[in-house]
């Protein structure tokens, strides 16, 4: 699975970056929308894959059983997901405003700072 | 956009159910999957669905408070939960626990209050974005 | 002496901290006290002066040290040291500093910027005291650069004028650049010290470095060159001298302070301080002497062409700084003694003369010597102070400056081979100094009263205290030099020499032949100087014009060319890199990142890849492919809503992955976020036009190539990182302590709200700010459009 996920992550990055290199600013946002999960998956995967043993202390015990998933990457990714959402929203709104103000979705036409 | 009849009919009950579920997730977060981030997002999703069905202004009316106020209050609550430890001479954000569990909520602690702050910030910010964008469309 | 040997606060710590502590109070003080501010602020330097004064007399070789552990884990310490040299400087900095504080109160009067001025001045003072008291080279460097920054603020105080701004920048660029060279030199010194057997913090201490043989170390030439560069720029030595005359754009109290006892003397101080460690080699003797000599002649000749009072003084300051550097370069016992006397004498008379020039400027409205004259009756005290200070500067008996000049000639005579040439050079310089002294102090006060822009009268008391006291002190110490030599003079000379010596100063040396020769030279200088004065008084303008034309080819011009070239180069680079096409920026970033990241991977070949510990399951393979398929579909589909749906599918597949691999919290969060994202995107993109293909096939395949290359890199990176088994201490701690210490069973949540709650607090703050950004972007623009239409 590690090798397959590595391939998937690489594929996500490739798609995201290809989209971000387009002239269309909507595609740019789509690129960002893929880049976030790609990065989250990367951190999650290199943190170690473990099946069906979440880092939770069972009732009655004082510590999780040995071999549970590493909680640290999960905590990192959890906040990253939420922040990523806010960032996406910000980017989407920015793009929307640009389109409204300039009337174009072509980033090549956005070279001047005056509107 | 014309929302479907199904969405309109279900949104009202979904709002209540999702909100209850979000609070449930918030409270159980310390021991089971859940917590302020998930709870806050769930609550925001509840209001967003409602806004999708009935429009942003009715959704705003249901929330009553401005989303910005909710987010700001959340930051204050989180910071205050951290500062509570200072009063006891502990360092900032040290968890303080009330010894006896309360019925229905479980053990009360400054950590839980902190998580409530997270919940409010996530809820407020998400709704701020959704409402702003939705309002823009109308 | 009967003083308490262990005072409450160490005077050195007090000296360094007190000025900075008062800085934030200065504006409030100025508002509350108005024109009395100067007298009150002067208490700060005066207090430091007195607290250090209690250490007098300081014997040769005697040293006070204080060491504070600063970052004990890293072995970083704050070390301060006061010996004869440091104390001489501290007394000058604080003594003249107090008088400058008082003087500035009168000079600036009711200027609303008074508070800011004192804030700058005190910060500068603290930095200067830090420089002369630091024992640790890194601390010294920090204070050194602080003096550059604060002097920038002081010189550019009248920042509404272009001239003040560019002059301040000139001083900053030159001195701060030299400071960077100095830092490298210091670091090399520390490395060399470490290799010579000093351990840890000791290697950074000047007092410890003095005990090892740096001169024998292989780094010595580099250390010497770098440190010299720092000192030459700071002390305005050729070819970096040009910032000093330009710095006259600062208010006169600033010039009086910076160019008498402080800023420019920092370089002198450091040369003197390092003389025992780095001096007495042919490198030191030849180069330091050479630069000093050139600067001395350049400054002396420069004074002749000037008609602005402050510029005359600026060039004469250059001459004296050159002389001091030259003396330290020569480095014999008599040369060092001369340097100490010269340093002290110059600080007294130059501060005084600048204040006198300031009084004249303040009262008449002009600094042009050609239109000044006959002020002696109207400004008697200023005239008296100016005359006394100028006599000291000219080296006339019985002033302290006379002793300095006698010693200078004695030094030159004592040098074999090149002694005659040095005598000639010193003679030329001193003749010019005599002439300039007469220009500054005789021309404006004697002769007929001239018409000036303002009706002159005597300056207020606050502007007389400084010049009169300092000039008077120059006379007193000339008549009676013993207190100086006993209290600090001998100790300062000993510190510079690194050897115990005693100073014996006198006005009259008896009748042995060499003493008579020196005496003869002194009087020859005075006579020739007077002759030169009468000459240039008549025709100051043509000489000045010739000087200015010559300067057009000098280092000042090089500086301007270099600066203009820098701007042009930056402009060109900007135009190439920032062409306005967003995708070009991204492309550049990607290619650079690719190269930078691939290089270490290639170096690490053959790579150790991670081992798959979980094996393969059919349903997981399907889910993983769904993730990728969703992303690819989103990229390929032309309809935006279809793309959004494909992205949703990708997200859903990721949710399942999280669920399968033990991350229920992530799965839930991702699920809700996906829902919200889809709602959001539908809201935002509903009204946008469909995606049209814009780029040609060539650029598309090029982009695809780079994107796939980057993707491949990330794949390899995942495998390479998975091969590393990081220390899991932190995770183990969280797992073990989650329930016992934090009373939570869900470890991920406990990390978020308890173990790392501080990070979470920061994160939700960022979240709120992002939301605020969206809100502002939409709402504020919408409102403006409404108003506009």
């Amino acid at each position: 699975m590690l090798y397959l996920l590595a391939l998937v992550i690489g594929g996500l990055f490739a798609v995201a970056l290809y989209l971000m290199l387009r002239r269309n600013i909507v595609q740019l946002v789509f690129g960002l929308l893929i880049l976030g999960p790609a990065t989250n998956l990367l951190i999650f995967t290199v943190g170690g894959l473990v099946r069906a043993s979440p880092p939770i202390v069972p009732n009655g015990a004082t510590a999780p059983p040995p071999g549970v998933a590493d909680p640290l990457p999960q905590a990192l990714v959890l906040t990253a997901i939420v922040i990523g959402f806010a960032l996406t929203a910000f980017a989407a709104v920015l793009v929307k405003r640009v389109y409204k103000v300039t009337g174009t979705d072509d980033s090549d036409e956005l070279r001047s700072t005056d509107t | 956009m014309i929302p479907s009849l199904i969405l309109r009919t279900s949104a009202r009950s979904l709002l209540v159910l999702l909100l209850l579920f979000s609070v449930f997730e918030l409270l159980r977060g310390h021991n089971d999957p859940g917590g302020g981030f998930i709870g806050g997002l769930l609550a925001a999703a509840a209001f967003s669905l409602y806004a999708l069905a009935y429009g942003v202004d009715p959704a705003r009316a249901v929330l009553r408070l401005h989303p910005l106020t909710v987010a700001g209050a959340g930051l204050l609550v989180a910071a205050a939960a951290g500062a509570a430890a200072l009063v006891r001479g502990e360092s900032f954000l040290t968890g303080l626990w009330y010894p006896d569990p309360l019925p229905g909520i479980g053990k009360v602690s400054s950590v839980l209050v902190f998580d409530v702050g997270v919940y409010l910030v996530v809820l407020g910010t998400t709704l701020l974005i959704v409402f702003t964008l939705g309002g823009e469309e109308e | 002496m009967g003083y308490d040997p262990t005072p409450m606060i160490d005077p050195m710590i007090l000296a360094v901290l007190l000025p900075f502590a008062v800085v934030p109070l200065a504006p409030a003080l100025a508002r509350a006290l108005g024109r009395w501010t100067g007298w009150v602020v002067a208490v700060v330097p005066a207090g430091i002066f007195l607290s250090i004064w209690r250490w007098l007399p300081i014997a040769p070789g005697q040293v006070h040290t204080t060491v504070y552990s600063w970052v004990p884990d890293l072995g970083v310490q704050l070390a301060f040291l006061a010996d004869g040299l440091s104390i001489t400087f501290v007394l000058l900095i604080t003594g003249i500093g107090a008088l400058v504080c008082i003087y500035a109160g009168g000079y600036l009067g009711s200027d609303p910027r008074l508070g800011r001025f004192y804030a700058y001045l005190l910060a500068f003072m603290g930095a200067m005291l830090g420089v002369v008291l630091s024992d640790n080279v890194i601390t010294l460097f920090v204070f050194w650069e602080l003096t550059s920054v604060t002097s920038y603020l002081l010189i550019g105080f009248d920042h509404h004028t272009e001239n003040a701004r560019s002059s301040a920048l000139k001083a900053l660029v030159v001195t701060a650049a030299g400071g960077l060279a100095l830092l490298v030199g210091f670091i090399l010194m520390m490395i060399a010290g470490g290799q010579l057997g000093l351990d840890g913090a000791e290697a950074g201490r000047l007092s410890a470095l003095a005990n090892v043989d740096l001169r024998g170390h292989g780094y010595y030439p580099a250390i010497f060159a770098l440190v010299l560069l720092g000192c030459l720029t700071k002390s305005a030595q050729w070819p970096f001298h040009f910032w000093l005359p330009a710095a006259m754009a600062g208010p006169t109290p600033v010039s009086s302070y910076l160019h008498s006892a402080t800023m420019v003397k920092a370089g002198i101080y450091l040369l003197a301080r390092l003389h025992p460690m780095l001096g007495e080699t042919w490198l030191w003797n030849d180069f330091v002497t050479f630069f000093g000599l050139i600067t001395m002649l350049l400054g002396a000749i420069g004074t002749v062409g000037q008609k602005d009072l402050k510029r005359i003084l600026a060039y004469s300051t250059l001459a004296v700084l050159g002389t001091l550097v030259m003396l330290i370069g020569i480095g014999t016992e008599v040369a060092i003694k001369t340097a100490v006397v010269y340093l002290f004498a110059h600080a007294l008379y130059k501060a005084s003369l600048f204040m006198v020039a300031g009084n004249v400027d303040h009262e008449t409205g002009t600094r042009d010597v050609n239109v000044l004259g006959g002020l002696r009756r109207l400004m008697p005290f200023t005239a008296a102070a100016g005359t006394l200070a100028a006599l000291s500067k000219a080296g006339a008996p019985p002033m302290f400056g006379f002793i300095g000049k006698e010693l200078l000639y004695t030094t030159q005579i004592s040098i074999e081979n090149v002694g005659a040439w040095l005598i000639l050079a010193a003679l030329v310089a001193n003749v010019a100094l005599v002439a300039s002294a007469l220009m500054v102090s005789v021309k404006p006060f004697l002769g007929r009263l001239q018409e000036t822009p303002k009706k002159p009268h005597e300056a207020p008391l606050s502007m007389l205290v400084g010049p009169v006291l300092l000039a008077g002190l120059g006379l007193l110490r000339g008549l009676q030099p013993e207190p100086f030599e006993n209290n600090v003079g001998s100790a300062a000379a000993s510190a510079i020499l690194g050897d115990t010596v005693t100073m014996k100063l006198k006005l009259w040396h008896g009748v042995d032949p060499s003493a008579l020769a020196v005496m003869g030279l002194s009087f020859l200088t005075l006579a020739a100087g007077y002759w030169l004065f009468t000459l240039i008084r008549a025709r100051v303008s043509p000489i000045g014009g010739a000087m200015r034309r010559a300067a057009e080819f000098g280092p000042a011009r090089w500086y301007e060319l270099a600066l203009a070239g820098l701007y042009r180069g930056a402009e060109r680079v900007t135009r190439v890199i920032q062409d306005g096409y967003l995708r070009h920026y991204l492309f550049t970033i990607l290619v650079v990142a690719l190269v930078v990241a691939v290089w270490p991977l290639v170096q690490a070949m053959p790579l150790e890849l991670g081992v798959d510990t979980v094996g393969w399951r059919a349903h997981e393979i399907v889910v993983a492919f769904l993730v990728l398929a969703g992303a690819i579909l989103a990229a390929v589909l032309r309809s935006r809503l279809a793309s959004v749906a494909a992205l949703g599918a990708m997200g859903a597949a990721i949710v399942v992955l999280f669920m399968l691999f033990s991350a229920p919290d992530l799965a839930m969060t991702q699920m809700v976020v996906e829902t919200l994202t889809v709602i959001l995107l539908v809201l935002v993109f509903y009204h946008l036009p469909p995606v049209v293909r814009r780029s040609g096939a060539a650029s598309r395949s090029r982009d695809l190539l780079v994107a796939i290359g980057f993707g491949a890199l990330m794949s390899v990176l995942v495998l390479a990182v998975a091969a590393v088994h990081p220390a899991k201490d932190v995770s183990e701690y969280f797992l073990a302590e989650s329930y016992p210490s934090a009373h939570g069973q869900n470890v991920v949540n406990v990390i978020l709200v308890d173990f790392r709650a501080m990070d979470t607090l920061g994160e939700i703050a960022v979240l709120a700010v992002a939301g605020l950004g969206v809100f502002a972007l939409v709402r504020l623009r919408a409102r403006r459009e409404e108003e506009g239409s």
Side-chain angles (χ1 to χ4, degrees):
Chain A
M1 266 332 269
L2 175 66
Y3 285 75
L4 180 61
L5 282 181
L7 180 77
V8 169
I9 290 164
L12 289 183
F13 270 102
V15 174
L17 295 175
Y18 178 75
L19 281 174
M20 289 173 73
L21 286 168
R22 300 300 88 214
R23 278 163 66 176
N24 190 303
I25 48 177
V26 175
Q27 283 182 307
L28 178 77
V29 175
F30 285 161
L32 276 177
L33 271 165
I34 299 173
L35 199 64
T39 314
N40 291 341
L41 266 186
L42 186 144
I43 295 171
F44 184 69
T45 307
V46 300
L49 295 171
V50 178
R51 273 199 200 90
S53 24
I56 290 175
V57 183
N59 285 330
T62 54
V68 294
D70 191 342
L72 197 57
Q74 293 195 17
L76 290 176
V77 171
L78 200 151
T79 48
I81 293 173
V82 180
I83 297 250
F85 168 70
L87 216 77
T88 313
F90 189 75
V93 173
L94 205 58
V95 162
K96 184 65 191 293
R97 291 260 18 129
V98 166
Y99 180 69
K100 267 201 154 176
V101 171
T102 64
T104 179
D105 59 355
D106 182 356
S107 70
D108 277 16
E109 288 175 32
L110 302 174
R111 298 186 56 203
S112 148
T113 48
D114 304 322
T115 50
Chain B
M1 260 191 296
I2 302 146
S4 72
L5 189 66
I6 304 172
L7 185 59
R8 272 183 179 255
T9 347
S10 54
R12 209 178 283 269
S13 42
L14 266 179
L15 173 69
V16 180
L17 281 176
L18 277 173
L19 277 181
L20 274 177
F21 185 54
S22 76
V23 175
F24 168 70
E25 283 292 334
L26 163 70
L27 292 181
R28 75 175 206 143
H30 217 54
N31 293 326
D32 296 293
F37 279 102
I38 297 171
L41 284 169
L42 272 171
F47 280 102
S48 305
L49 272 179
Y50 194 84
L52 214 54
Y54 290 95
V56 167
D57 286 332
R60 275 184 197 278
V62 173
L63 181 66
R64 281 161 197 254
L65 295 170
H66 194 283
L68 204 53
T69 319
V70 177
L75 270 184
L76 272 181
V77 168
L86 295 178
V87 181
R88 293 275 295 271
E90 306 265 0
S91 59
F92 187 58
L93 286 169
T94 307
L96 302 175
W97 291 80
Y98 188 74
D100 305 311
L102 293 183
I105 297 179
K107 279 193 167 181
V108 172
S109 64
S110 68
V111 174
L112 182 66
V113 179
F114 182 82
D115 220 7
V116 171
V118 173
Y119 175 95
L120 292 175
V121 172
V122 172
L123 170 66
T125 306
T126 312
L127 283 186
L128 186 64
I129 295 168
V130 173
F131 284 177
T132 310
L133 290 174
E136 163 108 307
E137 290 310 313
E138 282 159 16
Chain C
M1 284 299 292
Y3 61 82
D4 180 8
T6 52
M8 292 256 293
I9 305 172
D10 184 90
M12 286 189 278
I13 300 292
L14 179 83
V16 177
L17 292 186
L18 187 63
F20 288 114
V22 181
V23 166
L25 307 178
L29 278 177
R31 229 171 292 135
L33 300 167
R35 59 200 206 81
W36 297 104
T37 316
W39 297 93
V40 175
V41 172
V43 169
V44 173
I48 299 169
F49 183 90
L50 290 177
S51 72
I52 296 284
W53 183 265
R54 305 197 311 173
W55 278 350
L56 296 182
I58 182 143
Q62 191 188 348
V63 173
H64 296 268
T65 50
T66 306
V67 179
Y68 278 84
S69 215
W70 189 6
V71 191
D73 294 340
L74 297 176
V76 178
Q77 45 177 230
L78 277 178
F80 293 100
L81 167 146
D83 58 5
L85 180 63
S86 296
I87 288 178
T88 308
F89 269 93
V90 170
L91 294 179
L92 286 174
I93 293 165
T94 52
I96 295 180
L99 296 173
V100 166
C101 280
I102 296 169
Y103 181 82
Y107 186 85
L108 290 170
S110 53
D111 193 313
R113 301 170 301 169
L114 205 61
R116 199 194 320 160
F117 179 83
Y118 282 114
Y120 293 167
L121 192 71
L122 286 171
F124 174 77
M125 190 183 292
M128 215 36 231
L129 289 168
V131 167
V132 300
L133 287 173
S134 287
D135 191 17
N136 181 300
V137 288
I138 298 301
T139 332
L140 194 155
F141 166 76
V142 171
F143 283 120
W144 179 279
E145 291 294 63
L146 260 181
T147 61
S148 292
V149 173
T150 45
S151 67
Y152 168 77
L153 295 172
L154 284 170
I155 295 168
F157 188 68
D158 291 316
H159 54 79
H160 49 87
T161 66
E162 165 69 30
N163 183 29
R165 286 198 304 272
S166 69
S167 301
L169 187 66
K170 209 176 272 180
L172 182 70
V173 168
V174 174
T175 57
L180 291 182
L182 183 69
L183 176 64
V184 180
F186 277 163
I187 291 173
L188 286 182
M189 266 169 87
M190 288 170 72
I191 295 173
Q195 290 173 358
L196 291 169
L198 298 177
D199 60 320
E202 284 294 294
R205 284 183 63 179
L206 290 166
S207 50
L209 287 166
N211 298 326
V212 297
D213 182 26
L214 283 175
R215 280 163 290 211
H217 195 276
Y219 286 169
Y220 173 72
I223 294 174
F224 170 73
L226 290 163
V227 167
L228 183 65
L229 200 57
C231 294
L232 291 184
T233 49
K234 197 72 162 186
S235 284
Q237 299 295 298
W238 182 86
F240 309 109
H241 62 280
F242 55 89
W243 71 262
L244 195 149
M248 291 303 130
T252 302
V254 172
S255 312
S256 169
Y257 196 38
L258 260 57
H259 303 137
S260 62
T262 56
M263 179 75 173
V264 294
K265 292 280 175 69
I268 307 289
Y269 165 80
L270 192 61
L271 279 178
R273 169 63 71 211
L274 296 178
H275 179 255
M277 291 162 235
L278 304 176
E280 284 166 44
T281 60
W282 69 266
L283 267 179
W284 178 286
N285 287 342
D286 288 7
F287 279 98
V288 178
T289 310
F290 169 76
F291 284 111
L293 184 69
I294 297 283
T295 313
M296 176 178 81
L297 289 173
L298 191 99
I301 296 165
T303 55
V304 175
Q306 307 298 329
K307 55 178 183 167
D308 181 315
L309 279 178
K310 278 179 77 178
R311 285 188 80 85
I312 298 175
L313 291 174
Y315 278 95
S316 74
T317 304
L318 282 181
V320 173
L321 291 171
T323 312
L324 286 169
V325 170
M326 180 183 76
L327 286 168
I328 296 173
I330 295 169
T332 57
E333 185 181 328
V334 61
I336 295 301
K337 285 181 182 169
T338 311
V340 171
V341 172
Y342 226 72
L343 174 94
F344 188 71
H346 172 252
L348 296 184
Y349 74 68
K350 190 52 63 70
S352 174
L353 280 177
F354 268 117
M355 292 181 192
V356 166
N359 284 359
V360 170
D361 181 19
H362 197 256
E363 297 305 323
T364 65
T366 180
R367 295 199 301 253
D368 186 342
V369 282
N370 286 339
V371 302
L372 290 168
L375 292 170
R376 65 187 179 284
R377 277 184 221 293
L378 294 169
M379 305 176 70
F381 293 105
T382 304
T387 309
L388 278 181
L391 284 176
S392 191
K393 178 185 178 192
M399 307 299 295
F400 199 59
F402 173 72
I403 299 180
K405 184 156 302 173
E406 294 258 284
L407 272 169
L408 178 63
Y409 286 134
T410 314
T411 307
Q412 314 296 55
I413 286 178
S414 69
I415 296 172
E416 289 165 16
N417 301 329
V418 291
W421 292 103
L422 287 178
I423 291 175
L424 187 64
L427 189 66
V428 169
N430 279 311
V431 167
L433 283 183
V434 171
S436 73
L438 294 172
M439 281 300 275
V440 172
S441 66
V442 173
K443 178 76 177 46
F445 298 111
L446 295 182
R448 249 176 343 101
L449 186 63
Q450 307 248 7
E451 203 52 46
T452 52
K454 273 163 75 176
K455 185 105 187 74
H457 44 75
E458 184 57 285
L461 176 65
S462 56
M463 295 174 69
L464 290 173
V465 174
V468 170
L469 259 180
L470 291 170
L473 196 59
L475 173 64
L476 186 67
R477 286 288 80 87
L479 291 170
Q480 192 196 18
E482 292 83 10
F484 172 71
E485 57 196 40
N486 292 339
N487 275 317
V488 288
S490 302
S494 305
I496 303 176
L497 279 168
D499 199 3
T500 304
V501 291
T502 326
M503 219 182 242
K504 275 273 156 266
L505 303 175
K506 43 193 157 192
L507 281 171
W508 173 248
H509 292 270
V511 285
D512 70 282
S514 76
L516 280 179
V518 168
M519 183 71 80
L521 277 171
S522 282
F523 284 99
L524 176 64
T525 310
L526 287 174
Y530 182 76
W531 169 75
L532 183 63
F533 166 63
T534 55
L535 196 71
I536 58 180
R537 185 164 60 166
R539 50 175 75 197
V540 69
S541 308
I543 301 176
M547 283 294 304
R548 271 189 292 280
R549 273 192 297 284
E552 275 174 22
F553 303 99
R557 181 89 187 122
W558 308 343
Y559 163 84
E560 269 153 28
L561 285 177
L563 207 62
L566 192 68
Y567 284 144
R568 262 202 308 282
E571 225 174 85
R572 220 166 285 161
V573 170
T574 309
R575 221 174 292 140
V576 170
I577 298 180
Q578 308 215 337
D579 57 2
Y581 292 103
L582 180 63
R583 58 205 169 87
H584 290 179
Y585 299 175
L586 279 172
F587 192 79
T588 312
I589 292 170
L590 282 185
V591 171
V592 171
L594 202 57
V595 170
V596 171
V598 163
W599 180 242
L601 280 180
V602 171
Q603 297 232 300
M605 284 294 178
L607 276 179
E608 187 196 343
L609 297 182
V611 180
D612 192 345
T613 51
V614 287
W616 305 76
R617 300 269 167 89
H619 61 285
E620 289 169 0
I621 296 173
V622 173
V623 174
F625 271 117
L626 273 180
V627 173
L628 193 53
I632 293 175
L633 266 181
V636 176
L637 291 170
R638 292 290 124 197
S639 151
R640 286 177 329 281
L641 287 184
S643 294
V644 169
L647 285 176
M650 176 194 80
I654 291 176
V655 169
V656 178
L657 272 186
F658 283 148
M659 220 130 70
L660 289 171
F661 291 102
S662 319
D665 289 279
L666 294 190
M668 290 167 74
T669 314
Q670 183 78 43
M671 191 172 69
V672 189
V673 162
E674 282 310 320
T675 316
L676 284 167
T677 308
V678 170
I679 295 177
L680 192 84
L681 290 183
V682 170
L683 281 174
V684 173
F685 291 149
Y686 197 67
H687 295 290
L688 287 184
V691 173
V692 282
R693 178 171 290 169
R694 288 209 177 84
S695 340
S699 80
R700 265 185 293 135
S701 40
R702 185 201 57 191
D703 292 348
L704 195 62
L705 200 70
V706 171
I708 289 178
F710 209 90
L713 169 73
M714 295 317 274
S715 293
V716 175
L717 212 60
V718 169
L719 294 175
V721 174
V724 183
H725 298 287
K728 298 252 180 185
D729 299 357
V730 182
S731 300
E732 308 256 301
Y733 171 82
F734 288 157
L735 286 169
E737 292 299 320
S738 175
Y739 194 68
S741 318
H743 312 285
Q745 288 168 281
N746 180 359
V747 185
V748 175
N749 186 264
V750 171
I751 292 177
L752 287 175
V753 296
D754 198 329
F755 289 135
R756 306 297 305 166
M758 193 68 181
D759 297 345
T760 308
L761 191 62
E763 244 137 19
I764 55 177
V766 170
L767 197 65
V769 170
L772 213 57
V774 174
F775 180 67
L777 208 57
V778 174
R779 275 304 149 99
L780 299 183
R781 282 305 286 253
R783 197 172 299 160
R784 205 175 308 155
E785 276 158 24
E786 271 164 35
E787 282 165 10
S789 58

